[in-house]
Amino acid sequence: MFYSRYTQDEGNAITYSSGLAAAYAALVFLQPKRIAIRGGYHGCHATIDVFKKTRGADVTLIDIDEEFEAGDICWLETPVNPFGDSRDIKYYAEKIHKVGGKLLVDSTFGPPPLQYPFKFGADVVFHSGTKYFGGHSDLLAGVLVVKDIKDWNTLHVDRTYLGSMMGSLEAWLMLRSLKTLHLRVPRQSESATALAQWLYQISVTPAGQQYDGVPGGIVSQVWHSSLQKVDERGFDPKTQMEGGFNATFSFLTASIPQAEQLPHLLHYFVVWSIVFYQPATSLGGVESLIERRLHSDPGADPKLIRLSVGVEEFEDLKNDLRQALQQLAEV
Ligand SMILES: *Cc1c(COP(=O)(O)O)cnc(C)c1O
Ligand SMILES: *[C@@H]1O[C@H](CO)[C@@H](O)[C@H](O)[C@H]1NC(C)=O
């Protein structure tokens, strides 16, 4: 399904054993001298560190808003994990193409049908298939999409000798998942956008007043691309996320104890992975997840909560959050 959408978009997709295996393959393929990147998923930075070992001190990192030069690639995650401002693909595509470099877009948070990075000038599109493509929190996969079949052939040969192809069970699970991608993702996006708007109303309600039964002063900030303002270059995330805004977003509670307690007061949002009894840090699956970000990212604000919205009834999710926020207000 996504393959055919990408085919319309003149892309050729290839799968890998994980998102990070795909990230490594992309680096081997692109052979950058410098990588322009800012923040984003910490695992990709660790993969870049592994790649640097093979090239000595030869590879350096720069910020996406520094001057580019020949030999650079730009690695753009959009929407970006965990806050997810959307970044302007077209702007960075034009900037890197001027020096003859390539733009890779990590579109994990904007899977089809939300966002098609080729339309805005991306050269390589990357997805962690573990998230929305898989959608059931039961497989690892990565995807690269390139426009030129010659590049696809190179990736295909490299993949054989990197040994990073998907196993047959995972491939079978992925084919099952892709049958519902077009149903799951728009639903998740729609519910997440409505929840983000609802939480935003709570965040702007002063202490002492209520919004929809929830006392103000508990949620202090909400990030979502539906709440993002048009920037000074005129970039509006709406034009890039044609199929809806991303279904994973974050907010801050007013205090640290509130952030500690909130995940445990919910019934619909999964907190613990039942298999490993660890915080459920993945995202994109059919069950909604809630995570205190500090558990998986030691650098995160201790009040930061990330929600990955699943396919449950919106009213059930909202009522669940409401009762949990009400309980927090009482303690
Ligand atoms: C999860 C994730 C990855 C890495 O994918 P894995 O399949 O877990 O290896 C890369 N980028 C982003 C934005 C992610 O969320
Ligand atoms: C997308 O997801 C991130 C991840 O937590 C969230 O913080 C952000 O607000 C969302 N971004 C957009 C652009 O909607």
Side-chain angles (χ1 to χ4, degrees), residues 79-86 109 223-226 228 241 245-250 306-307:
V80 62
N81 187 2
F83 301 112
D85 30 326
S86 273
F109 279 69
W223 289 271
H224 191 256
S225 44
S226 66
Q228 189 177 331
M241 301 205 69
F245 296 115
N246 65 317
T248 301
F249 68 99
S250 304
R306 193 182 73 179
L307 296 181

Side-chain angles (χ1 to χ4, degrees), residues 18-157:
S18 72
L20 293 181
Y24 191 80
L27 291 166
V28 170
F29 172 69
L30 294 167
Q31 289 295 315
K33 288 211 171 65
R34 301 196 309 174
I35 302 168
I37 186 166
R38 181 190 299 162
Y41 180 63
H42 56 88
C44 288
H45 287 266
T47 298
I48 290 171
D49 286 343
V50 173
F51 179 70
K52 279 162 82 173
K53 286 191 201 173
T54 68
R55 297 266 303 264
D58 203 23
V59 184
T60 47
L61 300 191
I62 58 165
D63 184 74
I64 53 175
D65 282 338
E66 279 178 53
E67 225 32 63
F68 291 169
E69 59 186 43
D72 291 351
I73 65 152
C74 182
W75 189 289
L76 194 71
E77 185 175 318
T78 185
V80 62
N81 187 2
F83 301 112
D85 30 326
S86 273
R87 288 166 176 173
D88 188 345
I89 299 172
K90 187 161 169 279
Y91 173 81
Y92 290 101
E94 282 165 8
K95 186 175 166 193
I96 194 75
H97 290 157
K98 274 199 198 116
V99 298
K102 296 251 159 88
L103 176 70
L104 178 144
V105 172
D106 181 343
S107 197
T108 300
F109 279 69
L114 302 188
Q115 173 173 283
Y116 292 94
F118 282 141
K119 290 192 179 169
F120 304 97
D123 300 292
V124 180
V125 181
F126 167 96
H127 291 273
S128 165
T130 309
K131 315 294 167 50
Y132 289 97
F133 287 177
H136 296 68
S137 314
D138 58 7
L139 66 88
L140 287 177
V143 178
L144 293 180
V145 198
V146 288
K147 288 188 207 158
D148 192 334
I149 190 70
K150 281 203 216 92
D151 290 340
W152 186 90
N153 283 330
T154 305
L155 289 170
H156 190 245
V157 172

